[in-house]
Coordinates of all heavy atoms in Angstrom, one line a residue:
M1 N 20.3 -26.8 -24.0 CA 21.5 -27.4 -24.2 C 22.2 -27.7 -22.9 O 22.7 -28.9 -22.6 CB 22.5 -26.7 -25.0 CG 23.8 -27.5 -25.3 SD 24.9 -26.7 -26.4 CE 25.8 -25.7 -25.3
L2 N 22.2 -26.8 -22.0 CA 22.9 -27.0 -20.7 C 22.2 -28.1 -19.9 O 22.8 -28.9 -19.2 CB 22.9 -25.7 -19.9 CG 23.7 -25.6 -18.6 CD1 25.2 -26.0 -18.9 CD2 23.6 -24.3 -18.0
L3 N 20.8 -28.1 -19.9 CA 20.2 -29.2 -19.1 C 20.4 -30.5 -19.6 O 20.6 -31.4 -18.9 CB 18.6 -28.9 -19.3 CG 18.2 -27.6 -18.6 CD1 16.7 -27.4 -18.8 CD2 18.5 -27.6 -17.1
R4 N 20.6 -30.7 -20.9 CA 20.9 -32.0 -21.5 C 22.4 -32.4 -21.1 O 22.7 -33.5 -21.0 CB 20.6 -32.0 -23.0 CG 19.1 -32.0 -23.2 CD 18.8 -32.2 -24.7 NE 17.4 -32.2 -24.9 CZ 16.8 -31.9 -26.0 NH1 17.6 -31.7 -27.1 NH2 15.6 -31.9 -26.1
M5 N 23.2 -31.4 -21.2 CA 24.6 -31.6 -20.8 C 24.7 -32.0 -19.4 O 25.6 -32.9 -19.1 CB 25.5 -30.4 -21.1 CG 25.6 -30.1 -22.6 SD 26.6 -28.6 -22.7 CE 28.2 -29.1 -22.3
S6 N 23.9 -31.5 -18.5 CA 24.1 -31.9 -17.1 C 23.6 -33.3 -16.9 O 24.0 -33.9 -15.9 CB 23.3 -30.9 -16.2 OG 21.9 -31.0 -16.4
D7 N 22.9 -33.9 -17.8 CA 22.5 -35.3 -17.7 C 23.8 -36.2 -18.1 O 24.0 -37.2 -17.5 CB 21.4 -35.7 -18.7 CG 20.1 -35.1 -18.3 OD1 19.9 -34.7 -17.2 OD2 19.2 -35.0 -19.2
E8 N 24.6 -35.6 -19.0 CA 25.8 -36.3 -19.5 C 27.0 -36.1 -18.6 O 27.8 -36.9 -18.4 CB 26.1 -35.8 -20.8 CG 27.0 -36.5 -21.7 CD 27.1 -36.0 -23.0 OE1 26.2 -35.4 -23.5 OE2 28.3 -36.1 -23.6
Y9 N 27.1 -34.9 -17.9 CA 28.2 -34.6 -17.1 C 27.7 -34.1 -15.7 O 26.5 -33.8 -15.6 CB 28.9 -33.3 -17.7 CG 29.5 -33.6 -19.2 CD1 28.8 -32.9 -20.2 CD2 30.5 -34.4 -19.4 CE1 29.3 -33.1 -21.5 CE2 31.0 -34.5 -20.7 CZ 30.4 -33.9 -21.7 OH 30.9 -34.0 -23.0
N10 N 28.6 -34.0 -14.7 CA 28.1 -33.2 -13.5 C 27.9 -31.8 -13.7 O 28.4 -31.3 -14.8 CB 29.1 -33.6 -12.3 CG 30.4 -33.0 -12.3 OD1 30.4 -31.7 -12.7 ND2 31.4 -33.7 -12.1
D11 N 27.3 -31.1 -12.9 CA 27.0 -29.7 -13.1 C 28.2 -28.8 -13.4 O 28.2 -28.0 -14.2 CB 26.2 -29.1 -11.9 CG 24.8 -29.7 -11.9 OD1 24.3 -30.3 -12.9 OD2 24.1 -29.6 -10.8
D12 N 29.3 -29.0 -12.6 CA 30.5 -28.1 -12.8 C 31.1 -28.4 -14.2 O 31.4 -27.5 -14.9 CB 31.5 -28.4 -11.8 CG 31.1 -27.9 -10.4 OD1 30.2 -27.0 -10.3 OD2 31.6 -28.5 -9.4
I13 N 31.2 -29.7 -14.6 CA 31.7 -30.0 -15.9 C 30.8 -29.5 -17.1 O 31.3 -28.9 -18.1 CB 32.0 -31.5 -16.0 CG1 33.1 -31.9 -15.1 CG2 32.3 -31.8 -17.5 CD1 33.3 -33.4 -15.0
A14 N 29.5 -29.5 -16.8 CA 28.5 -29.1 -17.8 C 28.6 -27.6 -18.0 O 28.7 -27.2 -19.1 CB 27.0 -29.5 -17.4
L15 N 28.8 -26.8 -16.9 CA 29.0 -25.4 -17.0 C 30.3 -25.0 -17.7 O 30.3 -24.2 -18.5 CB 28.9 -24.8 -15.6 CG 27.5 -24.7 -15.0 CD1 27.6 -24.2 -13.7 CD2 26.7 -23.7 -15.9
R16 N 31.3 -25.7 -17.4 CA 32.6 -25.5 -18.1 C 32.5 -25.8 -19.6 O 33.0 -25.1 -20.4 CB 33.6 -26.3 -17.4 CG 35.1 -25.8 -17.7 CD 36.2 -26.3 -16.8 NE 36.2 -27.7 -16.7 CZ 35.9 -28.3 -15.4 NH1 35.7 -27.7 -14.4 NH2 35.9 -29.7 -15.4
K17 N 31.9 -27.0 -19.9 CA 31.8 -27.3 -21.3 C 30.9 -26.3 -22.1 O 31.2 -25.9 -23.1 CB 31.2 -28.6 -21.5 CG 31.1 -29.3 -22.8 CD 32.6 -29.6 -23.2 CE 32.6 -30.3 -24.5 NZ 33.8 -30.4 -25.1
Y18 N 29.8 -25.9 -21.4 CA 28.9 -24.8 -22.1 C 29.8 -23.5 -22.3 O 29.7 -22.9 -23.4 CB 27.8 -24.5 -21.1 CG 26.9 -23.4 -21.5 CD1 25.8 -23.8 -22.4 CD2 27.0 -22.2 -21.1 CE1 24.9 -22.8 -22.9 CE2 26.1 -21.1 -21.6 CZ 25.1 -21.5 -22.5 OH 24.2 -20.5 -22.9
D19 N 30.6 -23.1 -21.3 CA 31.3 -22.0 -21.5 C 32.4 -22.1 -22.6 O 32.6 -21.2 -23.5 CB 32.2 -21.6 -20.2 CG 31.3 -21.0 -19.1 OD1 30.1 -20.6 -19.4 OD2 31.7 -21.0 -18.0
E20 N 33.0 -23.3 -22.8 CA 33.9 -23.6 -23.9 C 33.2 -23.4 -25.2 O 33.7 -22.8 -26.2 CB 34.5 -24.9 -23.7 CG 35.4 -25.1 -22.6 CD 35.9 -26.5 -22.4 OE1 35.6 -27.4 -23.2 OE2 36.5 -26.8 -21.3
I21 N 32.0 -24.0 -25.4 CA 31.2 -23.9 -26.6 C 30.8 -22.6 -26.9 O 31.0 -22.0 -28.0 CB 30.1 -24.9 -26.5 CG1 30.6 -26.4 -26.5 CG2 29.1 -24.7 -27.7 CD1 29.4 -27.3 -26.1
E22 N 30.3 -21.8 -25.8 CA 29.9 -20.5 -26.1 C 31.0 -19.6 -26.6 O 30.9 -18.8 -27.5 CB 29.4 -19.9 -24.8 CG 28.8 -18.5 -24.9 CD 28.3 -18.0 -23.6 OE1 28.9 -18.1 -22.5 OE2 27.2 -17.4 -23.6
Y23 N 32.3 -19.8 -25.9 CA 33.4 -19.0 -26.3 C 33.8 -19.3 -27.8 O 34.1 -18.4 -28.5 CB 34.6 -19.3 -25.4 CG 35.9 -18.7 -25.9 CD1 36.2 -17.3 -25.6 CD2 36.8 -19.4 -26.6 CE1 37.3 -16.8 -26.1 CE2 38.0 -18.8 -27.0 CZ 38.3 -17.5 -26.7 OH 39.4 -16.9 -27.2
E24 N 33.9 -20.5 -28.1 CA 34.2 -20.9 -29.5 C 33.3 -20.4 -30.5 O 33.6 -19.8 -31.6 CB 34.3 -22.4 -29.6 CG 34.9 -22.9 -30.9 CD 36.4 -22.6 -31.0 OE1 37.1 -22.4 -30.0 OE2 36.9 -22.4 -32.1
L25 N 31.9 -20.5 -30.3 CA 30.9 -19.9 -31.2 C 31.2 -18.3 -31.3 O 31.2 -17.9 -32.4 CB 29.5 -20.1 -30.6 CG 29.0 -21.6 -30.8 CD1 27.7 -21.7 -29.9 CD2 28.7 -21.8 -32.2
I26 N 31.2 -17.6 -30.3 CA 31.4 -16.2 -30.3 C 32.7 -15.8 -31.0 O 32.7 -15.0 -31.9 CB 31.4 -15.5 -28.9 CG1 30.0 -15.7 -28.4 CG2 31.8 -14.1 -28.9 CD1 29.8 -15.3 -26.9
N27 N 33.8 -16.4 -30.7 CA 35.0 -16.2 -31.3 C 35.1 -16.4 -32.7 O 35.5 -15.5 -33.6 CB 36.1 -17.2 -30.5 CG 37.6 -16.7 -31.1 OD1 37.9 -15.6 -31.2 ND2 38.3 -17.7 -31.2
Q28 N 34.6 -17.7 -33.2 CA 34.6 -17.9 -34.6 C 33.6 -17.2 -35.4 O 33.9 -16.6 -36.5 CB 34.3 -19.5 -34.8 CG 35.5 -20.3 -34.2 CD 36.6 -20.4 -35.1 OE1 36.6 -20.2 -36.3 NE2 37.8 -20.5 -34.5
L29 N 32.4 -17.1 -34.9 CA 31.3 -16.5 -35.7 C 31.3 -15.0 -35.8 O 30.8 -14.4 -36.7 CB 29.9 -17.0 -35.2 CG 29.6 -18.4 -35.3 CD1 28.3 -18.8 -34.9 CD2 29.8 -19.0 -36.8
S30 N 32.0 -14.4 -34.8 CA 32.0 -12.9 -34.8 C 33.2 -12.5 -35.7 O 33.1 -11.3 -36.3 CB 32.3 -12.4 -33.4 OG 33.6 -12.8 -33.0
T31 N 34.1 -13.3 -36.0 CA 35.2 -12.9 -36.9 C 34.9 -13.2 -38.4 O 35.2 -12.4 -39.3 CB 36.6 -13.5 -36.5 OG1 36.4 -14.8 -36.5 CG2 36.9 -13.0 -35.2
Y32 N 34.3 -14.3 -38.7 CA 34.2 -14.8 -40.1 C 33.1 -15.8 -40.1 O 33.4 -17.0 -40.3 CB 35.6 -15.3 -40.6 CG 35.5 -15.5 -42.1 CD1 35.0 -14.6 -42.9 CD2 36.0 -16.7 -42.7 CE1 34.9 -14.8 -44.4 CE2 35.9 -16.9 -44.0 CZ 35.5 -16.0 -44.9 OH 35.4 -16.2 -46.2
P33 N 31.8 -15.5 -40.0 CA 30.7 -16.4 -40.0 C 30.6 -17.2 -41.3 O 30.1 -18.3 -41.4 CB 29.5 -15.6 -39.7 CG 29.9 -14.3 -40.1 CD 31.4 -14.1 -39.8
E34 N 31.1 -16.6 -42.4 CA 30.9 -17.3 -43.7 C 31.9 -18.4 -43.9 O 31.8 -19.2 -44.8 CB 31.2 -16.3 -44.9 CG 30.1 -15.2 -45.0 CD 30.5 -14.0 -44.1 OE1 31.5 -14.0 -43.4 OE2 29.7 -13.0 -44.1
K35 N 32.8 -18.5 -43.0 CA 33.8 -19.6 -43.0 C 33.3 -21.0 -43.1 O 33.9 -21.9 -43.5 CB 34.8 -19.4 -41.8 CG 35.8 -20.5 -41.5 CD 36.5 -20.2 -40.2 CE 37.5 -21.2 -39.8 NZ 38.2 -20.9 -38.6
F36 N 32.1 -21.2 -42.4 CA 31.5 -22.5 -42.3 C 30.6 -22.9 -43.4 O 29.9 -21.9 -43.9 CB 30.9 -22.7 -40.9 CG 32.0 -22.5 -39.8 CD1 32.1 -21.3 -39.2 CD2 32.9 -23.5 -39.5 CE1 33.0 -21.0 -38.2 CE2 33.9 -23.2 -38.5 CZ 33.9 -22.0 -37.9
S37 N 30.5 -24.1 -43.7 CA 29.6 -24.5 -44.9 C 28.2 -24.5 -44.6 O 27.7 -24.6 -43.4 CB 30.1 -26.0 -45.3 OG 29.9 -26.8 -44.3
H38 N 27.4 -24.5 -45.6 CA 25.9 -24.6 -45.6 C 25.6 -26.0 -45.1 O 26.4 -27.0 -45.4 CB 25.3 -24.3 -46.8 CG 25.2 -22.8 -47.1 ND1 26.1 -22.1 -47.8 CD2 24.3 -21.8 -46.7 CE1 25.8 -20.9 -47.9 NE2 24.7 -20.7 -47.3
V39 N 24.4 -26.2 -44.6 CA 23.9 -27.5 -44.2 C 23.7 -28.3 -45.6 O 23.2 -27.6 -46.5 CB 22.7 -27.4 -43.4 CG1 22.0 -28.8 -43.0 CG2 23.0 -26.6 -42.0
E40 N 23.9 -29.6 -45.6 CA 23.7 -30.4 -46.8 C 22.3 -30.4 -47.3 O 22.1 -30.5 -48.5 CB 24.4 -31.7 -46.6 CG 25.7 -31.8 -46.2 CD 26.0 -31.6 -44.7 OE1 25.0 -31.8 -43.9 OE2 27.1 -31.2 -44.3
N41 N 21.4 -30.5 -46.4 CA 20.0 -30.6 -46.7 C 19.5 -29.4 -47.5 O 19.8 -28.2 -47.2 CB 19.2 -30.6 -45.4 CG 17.7 -30.6 -45.7 OD1 17.0 -29.5 -45.9 ND2 17.1 -31.8 -45.5
E42 N 18.9 -29.6 -48.6 CA 18.6 -28.6 -49.6 C 17.7 -27.4 -49.1 O 17.9 -26.3 -49.2 CB 17.9 -29.1 -50.9 CG 17.9 -28.3 -52.0 CD 19.3 -28.0 -52.6 OE1 20.3 -28.8 -52.5 OE2 19.5 -26.8 -53.1
E43 N 16.6 -27.9 -48.3 CA 15.8 -26.9 -47.7 C 16.5 -26.1 -46.6 O 16.3 -24.8 -46.6 CB 14.6 -27.6 -47.1 CG 13.5 -26.6 -46.6 CD 12.2 -27.3 -46.2 OE1 12.3 -28.6 -45.9 OE2 11.2 -26.6 -45.9
M44 N 17.3 -26.7 -45.9 CA 18.2 -25.9 -44.8 C 19.1 -24.9 -45.6 O 19.3 -23.7 -45.2 CB 18.9 -26.8 -44.0 CG 18.0 -27.6 -43.1 SD 17.5 -26.7 -41.6 CE 19.0 -26.6 -40.7
K45 N 19.7 -25.5 -46.7 CA 20.6 -24.7 -47.4 C 19.9 -23.4 -48.0 O 20.3 -22.3 -48.0 CB 21.2 -25.5 -48.5 CG 22.3 -24.8 -49.3 CD 23.0 -25.7 -50.4 CE 24.0 -24.9 -51.1 NZ 24.7 -25.8 -52.1
N46 N 18.8 -23.6 -48.6 CA 18.0 -22.6 -49.2 C 17.6 -21.5 -48.2 O 17.4 -20.4 -48.6 CB 16.8 -23.2 -49.9 CG 17.2 -23.8 -51.3 OD1 18.3 -23.8 -51.7 ND2 16.3 -24.8 -51.7
A47 N 17.4 -22.0 -47.0 CA 17.0 -21.0 -45.9 C 18.2 -20.4 -45.3 O 18.1 -19.5 -44.4 CB 16.3 -21.8 -44.8
G48 N 19.4 -20.7 -45.8 CA 20.6 -20.0 -45.4 C 21.3 -20.6 -44.1 O 22.2 -19.9 -43.5
F49 N 20.9 -21.8 -43.7 CA 21.5 -22.4 -42.6 C 23.0 -22.9 -42.8 O 23.2 -23.4 -43.9 CB 20.7 -23.6 -42.0 CG 19.6 -23.1 -41.2 CD1 18.3 -23.0 -41.8 CD2 19.7 -23.0 -39.8 CE1 17.2 -22.7 -41.0 CE2 18.7 -22.6 -39.0 CZ 17.3 -22.5 -39.6
R50 N 23.8 -22.6 -41.9 CA 25.2 -23.0 -41.9 C 25.5 -23.9 -40.6 O 24.7 -23.8 -39.7 CB 26.2 -21.9 -42.0 CG 26.1 -21.1 -43.2 CD 27.0 -19.9 -43.1 NE 27.1 -19.2 -44.4 CZ 27.9 -19.3 -45.4 NH1 28.9 -20.2 -45.3 NH2 27.8 -18.7 -46.5
R51 N 26.5 -24.6 -40.6 CA 26.9 -25.5 -39.5 C 28.3 -25.3 -39.1 O 29.1 -25.1 -39.9 CB 26.5 -26.9 -39.8 CG 27.2 -27.5 -41.0 CD 26.9 -28.8 -41.3 NE 27.6 -29.6 -40.3 CZ 27.6 -31.0 -40.2 NH1 26.8 -31.7 -40.9 NH2 28.3 -31.6 -39.3
M52 N 28.5 -25.3 -37.9 CA 29.9 -25.2 -37.2 C 30.0 -26.3 -36.3 O 29.2 -26.5 -35.4 CB 30.0 -23.8 -36.5 CG 31.3 -23.7 -35.8 SD 31.3 -22.2 -34.9 CE 32.8 -22.4 -34.0
V53 N 31.0 -27.1 -36.5 CA 31.3 -28.3 -35.6 C 32.2 -27.8 -34.4 O 33.3 -27.2 -34.7 CB 31.9 -29.4 -36.4 CG1 32.3 -30.6 -35.4 CG2 31.0 -29.9 -37.5
I54 N 31.8 -28.1 -33.3 CA 32.6 -27.9 -32.1 C 32.5 -29.3 -31.3 O 31.6 -29.6 -30.5 CB 32.0 -26.8 -31.2 CG1 31.7 -25.6 -31.9 CG2 33.0 -26.6 -30.0 CD1 30.6 -24.7 -31.4
A55 N 33.3 -30.3 -31.9 CA 33.2 -31.6 -31.5 C 33.0 -31.9 -30.0 O 33.7 -31.2 -29.2 CB 34.4 -32.4 -32.0
P56 N 32.0 -32.7 -29.6 CA 31.1 -33.5 -30.5 C 29.8 -32.8 -30.8 O 28.8 -33.4 -31.2 CB 30.8 -34.7 -29.6 CG 30.7 -34.1 -28.2 CD 31.8 -33.0 -28.2
Y57 N 29.8 -31.4 -30.7 CA 28.5 -30.7 -30.9 C 28.5 -30.0 -32.3 O 29.6 -29.8 -32.9 CB 28.3 -29.6 -29.8 CG 28.2 -30.3 -28.5 CD1 29.3 -30.4 -27.6 CD2 26.9 -30.8 -28.0 CE1 29.2 -31.1 -26.4 CE2 26.9 -31.4 -26.9 CZ 28.0 -31.5 -26.1 OH 27.8 -32.2 -24.9
V58 N 27.3 -29.7 -32.8 CA 27.2 -29.0 -34.0 C 26.3 -27.8 -33.8 O 25.1 -28.0 -33.3 CB 26.6 -29.9 -35.2 CG1 26.5 -29.2 -36.5 CG2 27.4 -31.2 -35.3
A59 N 26.7 -26.7 -34.2 CA 25.9 -25.4 -34.1 C 25.2 -25.2 -35.4 O 26.0 -25.1 -36.5 CB 26.8 -24.2 -33.7
F60 N 24.0 -24.8 -35.5 CA 23.3 -24.4 -36.7 C 23.0 -22.9 -36.6 O 22.3 -22.5 -35.6 CB 22.1 -25.2 -36.9 CG 22.3 -26.7 -37.1 CD1 22.4 -27.6 -36.0 CD2 22.6 -27.1 -38.4 CE1 22.7 -28.9 -36.2 CE2 22.8 -28.5 -38.6 CZ 23.0 -29.3 -37.6
Y61 N 23.3 -22.1 -37.6 CA 23.1 -20.7 -37.5 C 22.8 -20.2 -38.9 O 23.1 -20.8 -39.9 CB 24.4 -20.0 -36.9 CG 25.6 -20.0 -37.8 CD1 26.0 -19.0 -38.6 CD2 26.5 -21.2 -37.8 CE1 27.0 -19.0 -39.4 CE2 27.5 -21.3 -38.5 CZ 27.9 -20.2 -39.4 OH 29.0 -20.2 -40.1
R62 N 22.3 -18.9 -38.9 CA 22.1 -18.2 -40.2 C 22.7 -16.8 -40.0 O 22.8 -16.2 -38.9 CB 20.6 -18.0 -40.4 CG 19.9 -19.3 -40.7 CD 18.4 -19.2 -40.7 NE 18.0 -18.4 -41.9 CZ 17.0 -17.6 -41.9 NH1 16.2 -17.5 -40.9 NH2 16.6 -16.9 -43.0
I63 N 23.1 -16.2 -41.2 CA 23.7 -14.9 -41.2 C 22.7 -13.9 -41.9 O 22.2 -14.2 -43.0 CB 25.0 -14.9 -42.1 CG1 26.0 -15.9 -41.5 CG2 25.6 -13.5 -42.1 CD1 27.1 -16.2 -42.4
G64 N 22.4 -12.9 -41.2 CA 21.5 -11.8 -41.7 C 22.1 -10.5 -41.4 O 23.3 -10.3 -41.5
D65 N 21.4 -9.6 -40.7 CA 21.9 -8.4 -40.2 C 22.9 -8.7 -39.0 O 23.8 -7.9 -38.7 CB 20.8 -7.5 -39.5 CG 20.0 -6.9 -40.7 OD1 20.3 -7.0 -41.8 OD2 18.8 -6.6 -40.4
R66 N 22.7 -9.9 -38.5 CA 23.5 -10.4 -37.4 C 23.5 -11.9 -37.6 O 22.8 -12.5 -38.2 CB 23.0 -10.1 -36.0 CG 21.6 -10.5 -35.8 CD 21.0 -9.9 -34.6 NE 19.6 -10.4 -34.6 CZ 18.7 -9.9 -33.8 NH1 19.0 -9.1 -32.9 NH2 17.5 -10.5 -33.9
V67 N 24.4 -12.6 -36.8 CA 24.4 -14.1 -36.8 C 23.4 -14.6 -35.7 O 23.5 -14.1 -34.6 CB 25.8 -14.6 -36.5 CG1 25.9 -16.1 -36.3 CG2 26.8 -14.2 -37.5
I68 N 22.6 -15.5 -36.1 CA 21.6 -16.1 -35.2 C 21.9 -17.6 -35.1 O 21.9 -18.2 -36.1 CB 20.2 -15.8 -35.6 CG1 19.8 -14.4 -35.7 CG2 19.2 -16.5 -34.7 CD1 18.6 -14.0 -36.3
I69 N 22.2 -18.0 -33.9 CA 22.4 -19.4 -33.6 C 21.1 -20.0 -33.2 O 20.4 -19.6 -32.3 CB 23.5 -19.7 -32.5 CG1 24.8 -18.9 -32.9 CG2 23.6 -21.1 -32.2 CD1 25.7 -18.8 -31.8
Y70 N 20.7 -21.0 -34.0 CA 19.4 -21.6 -33.7 C 19.4 -22.8 -32.8 O 18.6 -23.0 -31.9 CB 18.7 -22.0 -35.1 CG 18.2 -20.9 -35.8 CD1 19.0 -20.1 -36.7 CD2 16.9 -20.4 -35.6 CE1 18.5 -19.0 -37.3 CE2 16.4 -19.3 -36.3 CZ 17.3 -18.6 -37.2 OH 16.8 -17.5 -37.8
R71 N 20.3 -23.7 -33.1 CA 20.6 -24.9 -32.2 C 22.1 -25.2 -32.0 O 22.8 -25.1 -32.9 CB 19.8 -26.1 -32.8 CG 18.3 -25.9 -33.1 CD 17.5 -26.3 -31.8 NE 16.1 -25.9 -32.0 CZ 15.2 -26.6 -32.6 NH1 15.4 -27.6 -33.2 NH2 13.9 -26.0 -32.6
V72 N 22.3 -25.8 -30.9 CA 23.6 -26.5 -30.7 C 23.3 -27.9 -30.2 O 22.7 -28.0 -29.2 CB 24.6 -25.8 -29.7 CG1 25.8 -26.5 -29.5 CG2 24.8 -24.3 -30.2
L73 N 23.6 -28.8 -31.1 CA 23.1 -30.2 -30.8 C 24.3 -31.2 -30.8 O 25.3 -30.9 -31.4 CB 22.1 -30.7 -31.9 CG 20.9 -29.8 -32.0 CD1 20.2 -30.2 -33.3 CD2 20.0 -30.0 -30.9
H74 N 24.1 -32.3 -30.1 CA 25.2 -33.3 -30.1 C 25.2 -34.0 -31.4 O 24.2 -34.3 -32.0 CB 24.9 -34.3 -29.0 CG 26.1 -35.2 -28.6 ND1 26.5 -36.3 -29.5 CD2 27.0 -35.1 -27.7 CE1 27.6 -36.8 -29.0 NE2 27.9 -36.1 -27.8
G75 N 26.4 -34.1 -32.0 CA 26.6 -34.8 -33.3 C 26.1 -36.1 -33.5 O 25.8 -36.6 -34.6
A76 N 25.9 -36.8 -32.4 CA 25.3 -38.2 -32.4 C 23.8 -38.3 -32.7 O 23.3 -39.3 -32.9 CB 25.8 -39.0 -31.2
M77 N 23.2 -37.1 -32.5 CA 21.7 -37.1 -32.7 C 21.4 -37.3 -34.2 O 22.2 -37.1 -35.1 CB 21.1 -35.8 -32.2 CG 21.3 -35.6 -30.6 SD 20.7 -33.9 -30.2 CE 19.0 -34.2 -30.3
N78 N 20.2 -37.7 -34.4 CA 19.7 -37.8 -35.8 C 19.3 -36.4 -36.3 O 18.2 -35.9 -36.2 CB 18.4 -38.7 -35.8 CG 17.9 -38.9 -37.2 OD1 18.4 -38.3 -38.2 ND2 16.9 -39.8 -37.4
L79 N 20.4 -35.7 -36.7 CA 20.3 -34.3 -37.1 C 19.2 -34.0 -38.2 O 18.5 -33.1 -38.2 CB 21.6 -33.7 -37.4 CG 22.6 -33.7 -36.3 CD1 23.9 -33.2 -36.7 CD2 22.2 -32.9 -35.1
P80 N 19.2 -34.8 -39.3 CA 18.3 -34.5 -40.4 C 16.8 -34.6 -39.9 O 16.0 -33.8 -40.4 CB 18.5 -35.6 -41.4 CG 20.0 -36.0 -41.2 CD 20.2 -35.8 -39.7
R81 N 16.6 -35.3 -38.9 CA 15.2 -35.4 -38.3 C 14.7 -34.1 -37.7 O 13.6 -33.7 -37.7 CB 15.1 -36.6 -37.3 CG 13.7 -36.8 -36.8 CD 13.7 -38.1 -35.9 NE 14.6 -37.9 -34.8 CZ 14.3 -37.3 -33.6 NH1 13.1 -36.8 -33.5 NH2 15.1 -37.3 -32.6
L82 N 15.8 -33.3 -37.3 CA 15.5 -32.0 -36.6 C 15.5 -30.8 -37.5 O 15.2 -29.7 -37.1 CB 16.6 -31.8 -35.4 CG 16.6 -33.0 -34.5 CD1 17.8 -32.8 -33.5 CD2 15.3 -32.9 -33.6
Y83 N 15.8 -30.9 -38.8 CA 15.9 -29.9 -39.7 C 14.4 -29.2 -39.8 O 14.4 -28.1 -39.9 CB 16.4 -30.3 -41.1 CG 17.9 -30.7 -41.1 CD1 18.3 -31.5 -42.2 CD2 18.7 -30.4 -40.1 CE1 19.7 -31.8 -42.2 CE2 20.0 -30.8 -40.1 CZ 20.5 -31.5 -41.2 OH 21.9 -31.9 -41.2
A84 N 13.4 -30.0 -39.9 CA 12.1 -29.5 -40.1 C 11.8 -28.5 -38.9 O 11.1 -27.5 -39.1 CB 11.0 -30.6 -40.2
D85 N 12.2 -28.9 -37.7 CA 11.9 -28.0 -36.5 C 12.7 -26.7 -36.7 O 12.1 -25.6 -36.4 CB 12.4 -28.6 -35.3 CG 11.7 -29.9 -34.9 OD1 10.6 -30.0 -35.3 OD2 12.1 -30.7 -34.0
M86 N 13.9 -26.6 -37.2 CA 14.6 -25.4 -37.4 C 14.0 -24.6 -38.5 O 13.9 -23.4 -38.4 CB 16.1 -25.7 -37.7 CG 16.9 -26.1 -36.5 SD 18.6 -26.3 -36.8 CE 18.7 -28.1 -37.1
I87 N 13.6 -25.2 -39.5 CA 12.9 -24.5 -40.7 C 11.5 -23.9 -40.1 O 11.2 -22.7 -40.4 CB 12.5 -25.4 -41.9 CG1 13.8 -25.9 -42.6 CG2 11.6 -24.7 -42.9 CD1 14.5 -24.8 -43.2
A88 N 10.9 -24.6 -39.3 CA 9.6 -24.1 -38.7 C 9.9 -22.9 -37.8 O 9.1 -21.9 -37.7 CB 8.9 -25.2 -37.9
D89 N 11.0 -23.0 -37.1 CA 11.4 -21.8 -36.2 C 11.5 -20.5 -37.0 O 11.1 -19.5 -36.5 CB 12.7 -22.1 -35.4 CG 12.5 -23.1 -34.3 OD1 11.4 -23.4 -33.9 OD2 13.5 -23.6 -33.9
I90 N 12.1 -20.6 -38.1 CA 12.3 -19.3 -38.9 C 11.0 -18.8 -39.6 O 11.0 -17.6 -40.0 CB 13.4 -19.4 -39.9 CG1 13.1 -20.4 -41.1 CG2 14.7 -19.8 -39.3 CD1 14.0 -20.4 -42.2
K91 N 10.0 -19.7 -39.7 CA 8.7 -19.3 -40.3 C 7.8 -18.6 -39.3 O 6.6 -18.3 -39.6 CB 8.1 -20.5 -41.0 CG 8.9 -20.8 -42.3 CD 8.3 -22.0 -43.0 CE 9.1 -22.4 -44.1 NZ 8.6 -23.6 -44.8
K92 N 8.1 -18.7 -38.0 CA 7.2 -18.2 -37.0 C 7.2 -16.6 -37.0 O 8.1 -16.0 -37.3 CB 7.7 -18.7 -35.5 CG 7.4 -20.1 -35.4 CD 7.9 -20.6 -34.0 CE 7.6 -22.1 -33.8 NZ 8.1 -22.5 -32.5

């Protein structure tokens, strides 16, 4: 994510934005991870994936013994196209 952000921003801004996203993820997900909705896609929902929006990014995670964040992607991306990749990651 950081490498793609540095294409969009200069390095200092990319690092600051990365820190902001990381802080928000840790802050929100450590206190109440169930707060955020499941992903609309049925296969992703059945696999337990949830999504948290940190505009303009979307974090995809699952709750088990701990919270695992699988991807943080820009919301303008074709997210449904990437669902199969996330499903494949959990089957490895």
Side-chain angles (χ1 to χ4, degrees):
M1 181 177 91
L2 187 58
L3 294 176
R4 290 189 181 157
M5 287 177 72
S6 65
D7 292 342
E8 193 174 332
Y9 306 107
N10 72 44
D11 289 343
D12 291 337
I13 294 172
L15 285 170
R16 194 167 50 245
K17 188 69 173 165
Y18 178 86
D19 287 343
E20 290 170 13
I21 291 168
E22 182 181 49
Y23 172 80
E24 192 65 28
L25 283 169
I26 291 169
N27 187 40
Q28 294 285 330
L29 297 180
S30 65
T31 55
Y32 189 49
E34 295 87 2
K35 170 181 175 179
F36 301 99
S37 63
H38 283 95
V39 177
E40 303 83 18
N41 174 280
E42 199 63 33
E43 190 175 12
M44 291 282 285
K45 183 177 180 178
N46 291 339
F49 277 95
R50 292 177 178 266
R51 57 181 283 178
M52 175 184 170
V53 176
I54 311 150
Y57 299 95
V58 181
F60 294 91
Y61 68 96
R62 293 173 66 214
I63 305 167
D65 296 340
R66 59 187 176 191
V67 174
I68 299 174
I69 300 166
Y70 285 86
R71 303 268 167 85
V72 178
L73 302 169
H74 195 283
M77 294 179 72
N78 183 354
L79 299 176
R81 188 175 58 87
L82 301 171
Y83 292 163
D85 292 342
M86 286 185 264
I87 294 292
D89 284 348
I90 66 171
K91 294 180 178 178
K92 290 181 182 176

